[in-house]
Amino acid sequence: MSTLGVSFTDTALEARVLAGVEEVERQLAAAVDSPDRLVAEAATHLLNAGGKRFRPLLVMLAAEFGDPVAADVARSAVVVELTHLATLYHDDVMDEADVRRGAPSANSRWGNSVAILVGDYLFAQASDLVSDLGTDAVRIQARTFSRLVQGQIRETIGPADDEDALGHYLAVVADKTGSLIATAALFGSKMAGAPTDVQETLTEFGERIGAAFQLADDIIDVASETGDSGKTPGTDLREGVPTLPTLIALRSTDPGSERLRTLLGRPLTDDAEHAEALALLRDHPAMAEARSYVRAEADAAGVLLAKLPDSSARSALQELCDTVVTRVG
């Protein structure tokens, strides 16, 4: 089996992870259900649209450093995935998105108010489930939620006049993406009863690899001809959304980059200007610098894994690091 860059050569590990993810799917379906037809339909909308289930996978792999079949492992993965799904409903409203996972977004189908309330409903369901996991889990979830919201606020407001735009963006990625993936690794190891030092290492690993995957998507959005990120190449560029390569390019003082800098930082609704900016950015040294940054993050995550006991699960996590490097070329 290969999923998200993880190839399972250990059949016993593969069986446990598959069984765990399947149990998460079952519990997710139950958690988003509602006797109200509209709530049930809207809440299952994105769940039924699919998704990589990266976070539940990470929960299951992290649990391998303790008791992987502990009863609360799957429940903690459901908490994380419900939280992730809830953020997608809210993000689509903030971004005025029309499509999510190849299907009409909830806000385009039911309107912004319903989409926001469904996101709130999923957060509530996650809170209900996490309350059964103990006080520590509730505290972890609350702090993660706080970071998610702060990241969204930072992204919405943008950097202050005296703030470094790239540093601001990296902080947003850490809060909006890294925090929840870190919690996935922490929950998996914690619910499995792994030693505290292992939990801490896996949490830091999750934070780094989560950010690295997001930043790799930034590079793919520019470099890919086929939409490997699930979007039309140059989508962020067209919408004027800041990303790692564009922010690095904007810092360039090279006189030859003046035209690119003029184009960047604003929506490029004109097709000719968009094509020009995409071509210039692909050839700009900012792409190499962005790739180096992502590789460094993946390498740092890999170094953390060396602290963990040698096992098939550790090898699978190492493959995630290797996949990040492969994705950015």
Side-chain angles (χ1 to χ4, degrees):
M1 172 190 174
S2 178
T3 179
L4 287 169
V6 179
S7 300
F8 293 99
T9 55
D10 183 331
T11 56
L13 172 64
E14 178 182 9
R16 285 193 301 273
V17 170
L18 277 175
V21 172
E22 287 172 2
E23 175 60 18
V24 170
E25 289 294 328
R26 186 190 69 78
Q27 292 189 28
L28 273 171
V32 301
D33 197 14
S34 169
D36 185 287
R37 182 191 59 79
L38 176 60
V39 173
E41 183 181 2
T44 58
H45 180 64
L46 285 184
L47 182 65
N48 293 337
K52 299 184 182 74
R53 301 291 188 262
F54 176 48
R55 292 154 189 82
L57 172 70
L58 186 54
V59 171
M60 296 303 154
L61 288 174
E64 288 289 322
F65 296 91
D67 176 9
V69 296
D72 287 338
V73 170
R75 183 181 292 265
S76 73
V78 174
V79 169
V80 171
E81 191 66 8
L82 282 174
T83 304
H84 173 57
L85 287 169
T87 65
L88 298 184
Y89 281 83
H90 287 180
D91 282 353
D92 284 347
V93 172
M94 299 288 293
D95 298 339
E96 299 180 353
D98 294 323
V99 177
R100 167 70 69 173
R101 293 177 174 174
S105 61
N107 50 296
S108 67
R109 183 169 176 180
W110 290 286
N112 286 343
S113 295
V114 170
I116 291 169
L117 291 169
V118 170
D120 292 345
Y121 170 73
L122 294 176
F123 278 128
Q125 295 300 91
S127 298
D128 185 32
L129 290 173
V130 80
S131 67
D132 292 331
L133 300 179
T135 304
D136 284 348
V138 172
R139 183 180 298 109
I140 292 165
Q141 174 72 356
R143 290 175 178 175
T144 303
F145 189 32
S146 175
R147 286 190 64 189
L148 290 169
V149 173
Q150 289 182 75
Q152 184 62 65
I153 291 171
R154 282 199 191 100
E155 182 179 63
T156 302
I157 295 175
D161 291 340
D162 59 348
E163 186 178 6
D164 175 64
L166 178 57
H168 173 272
Y169 176 68
L170 294 174
V172 167
V173 170
D175 283 342
K176 285 195 61 180
T177 303
S179 66
L180 190 56
I181 293 176
T183 294
L186 174 56
F187 270 171
S189 54
K190 188 177 186 65
M191 297 307 141
T196 301
D197 62 327
V198 170
Q199 294 179 35
E200 292 172 350
T201 297
L202 284 166
T203 302
E204 189 176 350
F205 169 82
E207 180 96 22
R208 283 190 174 274
I209 203 65
F213 262 99
Q214 176 59 55
L215 296 171
D217 279 348
D218 286 0
I219 295 169
I220 292 169
D221 182 65
V222 175
S224 174
E225 297 285 355
T226 58
D228 292 342
S229 64
K231 300 184 294 186
T232 302
T235 296
D236 292 332
L237 199 63
R238 183 179 293 279
E239 296 174 356
V241 176
T243 64
L244 182 62
T246 59
L247 289 168
I248 292 174
L250 283 167
R251 298 174 76 170
S252 172
T253 57
D254 178 10
S257 303
E258 184 176 349
R259 174 58 180 167
L260 177 59
R261 291 196 302 271
T262 299
L263 291 168
L264 295 179
R266 59 179 172 85
L268 295 170
T269 54
D270 180 82
D271 289 343
E273 285 193 341
H274 176 263
E276 180 186 3
L278 190 58
L280 289 171
L281 186 56
R282 283 173 173 169
D283 290 337
H284 196 277
M287 291 297 289
E289 188 175 340
R291 287 186 172 99
S292 294
Y293 184 89
V294 172
R295 290 189 192 106
E297 284 296 293
D299 289 345
V303 169
L304 288 167
L305 293 178
K307 300 179 181 180
L308 300 175
D310 190 12
S311 65
S312 298
R314 191 180 84 173
S315 298
L317 292 174
Q318 181 60 56
E319 281 198 63
L320 289 179
C321 301
D322 298 340
T323 297
V324 171
V325 174
T326 301
R327 290 176 79 219
V328 300

